[in-house]
């Protein structure tokens, strides 16, 4: 096990269905969570649609995996960001998104919602300070 | 050719690793038969974990990794049960893998 903690940033840029990217990205994040790195997940462009509440995939015959995002907190992933500009351009507000609960690692206190909507300056900073960026 | 197991005279399709092909097919007898194949007899402690996994899957649409399972079991069933020693004592082939198989779930994500 390496003791060097790297900053990983996962970029989710595509709509949840229609391609395998969103689901694959989520699986990679969950599997990668076992390696104790500093992980951030950012939803950008059409990727913000991955977190929309109340998805129903019956009509397209695909598995609705949106409930799985709510396990990110269980997997100790606490840095979950949504790009505000992408959200607004799609006529969405933070209230349209699912909430992902977590737990403070120090106090073990329950955190109601880890999802944080951030502006473009934070998005750039996040990208700049990451050691590795995985774009899906 | 697809593999099957027989439960109460009915055939259930399983994949090459023994996981149930369709989790909607699951009946408790599936767990009992699979456990028998692994030379295990299921106790109420086993059923607590199997039922827990089925509920977790129903809510989140994935089978949890063992680390996540351990923590969640500790929260829900008590700290004395939320450790891998206890879970391995129930499911010697790995709590996530073996218990998920009995519960009719797919192989857990992030399971190495």
């Amino acid at each position: 096990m390496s003791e060097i903690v790297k900053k990983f940033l996962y970029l989710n840029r595509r709509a949840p269905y229609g391609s395998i990217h969103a689901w694959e990205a989520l699986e990679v994040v969950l599997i990668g969570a076992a390696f104790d790195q500093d992980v951030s997940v950012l939803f950008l462009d059409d990727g913000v649609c991955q977190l929309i509440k109340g998805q129903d995939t019956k009509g397209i015959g695909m598995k609705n995996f949106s409930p799985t995002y709510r396990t990110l907190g269980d997997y100790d992933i606490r840095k979950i960001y949504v790009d505000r500009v992408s959200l607004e351009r799609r006529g969405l507000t933070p209230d349209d998104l699912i909430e992902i609960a977590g737990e403070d690692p120090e106090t073990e206190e329950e955190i109601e919602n880890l999802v944080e909507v951030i502006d473009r300056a934070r998005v750039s900073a996040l990208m700049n300070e990451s050691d590795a960026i995985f774009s899906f | 050719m697809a593999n099957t197991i027989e439960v109460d005279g009915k055939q259930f399709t399983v994949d090459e690793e023994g996981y149930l092909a369709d989790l909607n097919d699951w009946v408790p007898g599936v767990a009992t038969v699979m456990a028998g194949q692994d030379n295990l007899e299921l106790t109420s402690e086993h059923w607590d974990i199997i039922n827990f996994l089925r509920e977790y899957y129903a809510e989140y649409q994935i089978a949890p990794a063992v680390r996540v399972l351990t923590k969640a079991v500790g929260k829900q069933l008590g700290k004395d049960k939320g450790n891998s020693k206890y879970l391995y004592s129930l499911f010697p082939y790995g709590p996530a893998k073996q218990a998920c198989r009995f519960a009719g779930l797919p192989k857990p994500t992030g399971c190495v």
Side-chain angles (χ1 to χ4, degrees):
Chain A
M1 287 289 274
S2 162
E3 286 179 21
I4 303 162
V5 174
K6 289 209 170 184
K7 290 188 173 208
F8 283 75
L9 173 63
Y10 292 93
L11 283 183
N12 291 294
R13 313 189 69 144
R14 302 187 199 220
Y17 310 100
S19 82
I20 197 74
H21 288 84
W23 171 242
E24 290 280 306
L26 183 55
E27 285 216 297
V28 170
V29 170
L30 294 178
I31 292 167
F35 297 101
D36 286 332
Q37 301 295 321
D38 182 342
V39 174
S40 300
V41 184
L42 170 63
F43 296 85
L44 191 68
D45 301 335
D46 281 344
V48 298
C49 299
Q50 295 174 24
L51 294 184
I52 291 176
K53 265 184 209 162
Q55 296 179 28
D56 181 357
T57 58
K58 278 194 198 85
I60 54 171
M62 282 180 81
K63 173 172 159 170
N64 175 8
F65 57 85
S66 63
T68 307
Y69 291 102
R70 291 191 290 111
T71 64
L72 286 170
D74 292 346
Y75 282 77
D76 294 329
I77 291 162
R78 298 185 189 86
K79 299 177 179 174
I80 305 167
Y81 305 105
V82 174
D83 171 50
R84 185 186 306 279
V85 177
S86 305
L87 202 58
E88 284 170 359
R89 284 196 184 146
R90 284 158 188 79
L92 297 166
T93 72
D95 289 341
D96 295 313
L97 305 180
I98 55 167
E99 292 183 352
I100 300 172
E103 178 178 90
D104 189 299
E106 318 266 294
T107 62
E108 295 194 358
E109 258 174 63
E110 190 81 11
I111 301 167
E112 218 168 281
N113 189 11
L114 298 163
V115 180
E116 200 182 330
V117 178
I118 58 174
D119 56 31
R120 279 285 156 94
R122 281 281 302 281
V123 170
S124 313
L126 203 57
M127 289 183 185
N128 280 327
E129 69 199 24
S130 296
D131 296 307
I133 297 179
F134 300 92
S135 183
F136 290 89
Chain B
M1 201 183 79
N3 301 316
T4 56
I5 57 165
E6 191 180 306
V7 179
D8 300 330
K10 211 181 142 211
Q11 298 296 320
F12 290 79
T13 309
V14 295
D15 70 10
E16 67 276 8
E17 290 180 284
Y19 291 82
L20 202 63
D22 185 347
L23 89 136
N24 297 316
D25 287 349
W26 189 86
V27 290
V30 168
T32 313
V33 169
M34 285 181 175
Q37 290 173 342
D38 290 357
N39 295 316
L40 270 184
E41 201 170 314
L42 296 180
T43 62
S44 65
E45 283 80 18
H46 291 96
W47 284 109
D48 281 347
I49 305 300
I50 291 169
N51 291 328
F52 177 87
L53 283 168
R54 288 191 60 82
E55 282 163 24
Y56 195 93
Y57 194 91
E59 171 141 13
Y60 298 115
Q61 299 296 305
I62 55 161
V66 64
R67 186 171 59 94
V68 175
L69 172 69
T70 310
K71 210 163 83 176
V73 164
K75 253 189 207 167
Q76 195 170 314
L77 303 174
K79 278 242 184 314
D80 55 321
K81 296 183 174 179
N83 62 76
S84 46
K85 195 179 163 206
Y86 172 78
L87 292 173
Y88 270 94
S89 73
L90 292 176
F91 299 101
Y93 291 116
K97 273 190 219 176
Q98 194 177 25
C100 283
R101 191 157 46 79
F102 294 175
L105 307 187
K107 198 174 166 183
T109 299
C111 204
V112 267

